[in-house]
Amino acid sequence: MQPLLESGGRMEEEPSNLPVSLLGRVSAFETRAREAYKRKPISHWILLVLSSAAMLVAFPASSLLSRVYYANGGTSKWIISWVAVAGWPLTALILFPTYLVCKTSPTPLTLKLTFSYFVLGLLSAADNLMYAYAYAYLPASTASLLASSSLVFSALFGYLLVKNKLNAAIVNAVVVITAAMTIIALDSDSDRYGNVTDKQYILGFVWDILGSALHGLIFALSELVFVKLVGRRSFHVVLEQQVMVSLFAFVFTTIGVIVNNDFQGMKYEARSFKGGKSSYYLVLIWSTISFQLGVLGSVAVLFLSSTVLAGVLNAIRVPLTSIAAVILLKDPMSGLKILSLVVTFWGFGCYIYGSSSPSKDSS
């Protein structure tokens, strides 16, 4: 599921007794980047830029739209969970032409593979519901910062289930990001909305952390499916998994919406929504589209480049979401939250370094 970026040609090594200067490191990186650029056609880089832009724009937009829904009169957690997976046909529309372009056939659906998609779909539906509760009670900037803790759980579950290596840098990232979450908890009084009670704020905080933990588990289980059941990692196989998991999540979430009578409740929400019915449905439609564009972008980045670049983009989109929430939604931004943002960014940097470096001290 995580194709690795091809390494560049080996540089001439300097004599070991001479320290490598910063200028030398920059020059070496520039040389490797130029060599990597020459090995790929221009279409590869255009697709990579578009995919990266999709991640950096679509995911923050989806987060902000969830908060806009609740801030303007929306109340249903199931509806926000539902729109996160209702756009699965968009991914399917991208998948089917790849069979023709790549001249390949669909992966056979065995009983074990189908059951794996079923379980992942159920977990994804639960994960989306937890995040919906988080965005109902927390500012978008706070919710996005807390959601970055999924990196911690991805590393831990990856180590426990998939036997991924842990080195000092990754362990440091886990500690640093955990510290950032603690800072946010200490700053709870400064970023709470007036209509949110203490109990609701605590629930939003807890659901966000639990959702991040479940997200990390889903990531590790998805990798396990590729390792144990699929045995190959290509663009169309990754898309197949995304379509099937989203389809099952859509079915589970739709059942929840029906049982909760939220489809009928949409009519009443639309009437009382600030901006009217058109604004209400536009928020939901664009939430659906933006989330799927983000998913497609992340899948493409993993395939075209590496998990390291995906990690870099995830690190960048956390402050982007927070800054956009402050500017567009007037989210409160205290000194402690800024400190938490900086610490989180540092944690991401440690994780990216640890993931891209040979693991000499793996646990």
Side-chain angles (χ1 to χ4, degrees):
M1 185 178 181
Q2 305 159 351
L4 298 175
L5 184 64
E6 294 180 4
S7 57
R10 178 170 293 185
M11 301 290 298
E12 267 188 32
E13 296 184 1
E14 298 183 33
S16 58
N17 59 338
L18 292 177
V20 180
S21 65
L22 177 61
L23 184 61
R25 290 179 181 274
V26 172
S27 176
F29 175 79
E30 182 182 351
T31 301
R32 287 197 300 269
R34 191 181 299 113
E35 290 175 352
Y37 174 78
K38 290 178 180 178
R39 285 200 308 270
K40 301 290 185 180
I42 188 65
S43 58
H44 171 91
W45 299 109
I46 292 175
L47 285 174
L48 185 58
V49 168
L50 292 175
S51 302
S52 301
M55 280 189 69
L56 293 178
V57 174
F59 277 137
S62 177
S63 299
L64 295 181
L65 286 168
S66 295
R67 187 57 228 168
V68 166
Y69 168 80
Y70 290 116
N72 289 276
T75 58
S76 173
K77 283 73 177 178
W78 280 107
I79 290 296
I80 288 298
S81 305
W82 184 75
V83 299
V85 288
W88 70 268
L90 296 177
T91 308
L93 288 176
I94 302 296
L95 170 63
F96 294 136
T98 60
Y99 292 131
L100 299 176
V101 174
C102 300
K103 296 180 180 178
T104 186
S105 57
T107 304
L109 277 176
T110 63
L111 184 60
K112 285 185 178 180
L113 188 58
T114 303
F115 180 73
S116 299
Y117 291 155
F118 175 88
V119 172
L120 287 172
L122 179 60
L123 294 178
S124 296
D127 189 42
N128 292 332
L129 187 61
M130 291 178 185
Y131 279 133
Y133 272 95
Y135 278 94
Y137 300 137
L138 300 176
S141 54
T142 302
S144 66
L145 280 170
L146 290 174
S148 66
S149 63
S150 63
L151 190 64
V152 172
F153 297 106
S154 294
L156 294 177
F157 285 122
Y159 173 74
L160 293 173
L161 300 178
V162 195
K163 308 305 179 184
N164 289 337
K165 299 295 183 181
L166 283 181
N167 55 32
I170 293 177
V171 172
N172 184 55
V174 170
V175 174
V176 168
I177 294 176
T178 302
M181 302 306 102
T182 305
I183 293 172
I184 295 179
L186 295 174
D187 192 40
S188 60
D189 290 335
S190 69
D191 68 345
R192 187 181 311 166
Y193 292 123
N195 61 337
V196 175
T197 65
D198 291 348
K199 181 180 179 181
Q200 288 175 329
Y201 186 91
I202 293 172
L203 280 175
F205 195 99
V206 171
W207 283 124
D208 208 340
I209 297 296
L210 289 176
S212 299
L214 187 54
H215 189 78
L217 176 61
I218 291 169
F219 191 88
L221 290 176
S222 298
E223 188 173 359
L224 197 62
V225 168
F226 281 104
V227 173
K228 298 293 185 180
L229 299 180
V230 179
R232 56 182 177 143
R233 303 181 185 187
S234 61
F235 186 62
H236 82 275
V237 172
V238 176
L239 278 180
E240 283 175 345
Q241 186 192 61
Q242 186 60 46
V243 169
M244 293 303 298
V245 171
S246 296
L247 174 59
F248 279 119
F250 174 75
V251 171
F252 291 131
T253 309
T254 301
I255 293 172
V257 174
I258 294 172
V259 171
N260 209 43
N261 292 322
D262 280 354
F263 281 133
Q264 293 87 339
M266 288 176 69
K267 298 178 182 178
Y268 303 106
E269 280 191 346
R271 289 183 196 141
S272 59
F273 197 77
K274 292 179 183 178
K277 291 183 179 180
S278 59
S279 297
Y280 177 81
Y281 290 112
L282 281 175
V283 166
L284 297 183
I285 291 170
W286 280 111
S287 293
T288 302
I289 295 173
S290 60
F291 190 85
Q292 288 302 313
L293 285 178
V295 168
L296 287 171
S298 61
V299 170
V301 167
L302 284 170
F303 178 72
L304 294 170
S305 183
S306 66
T307 53
V308 176
L309 179 58
V312 171
L313 295 175
N314 269 318
I316 294 173
R317 74 181 177 93
V318 170
L320 279 181
T321 305
S322 298
I323 293 170
V326 171
I327 295 174
L328 300 176
L329 304 182
K330 310 302 180 185
D331 267 15
M333 180 62 78
S334 65
L336 282 177
K337 189 184 286 188
I338 293 174
L339 175 61
S340 176
L341 182 62
V342 173
V343 171
T344 300
F345 206 72
W346 174 24
F348 270 115
C350 293
Y351 184 85
I352 292 164
Y353 177 80
S355 299
S356 60
S357 301
S359 182
K360 295 179 181 181
D361 53 341
S362 57
S363 297

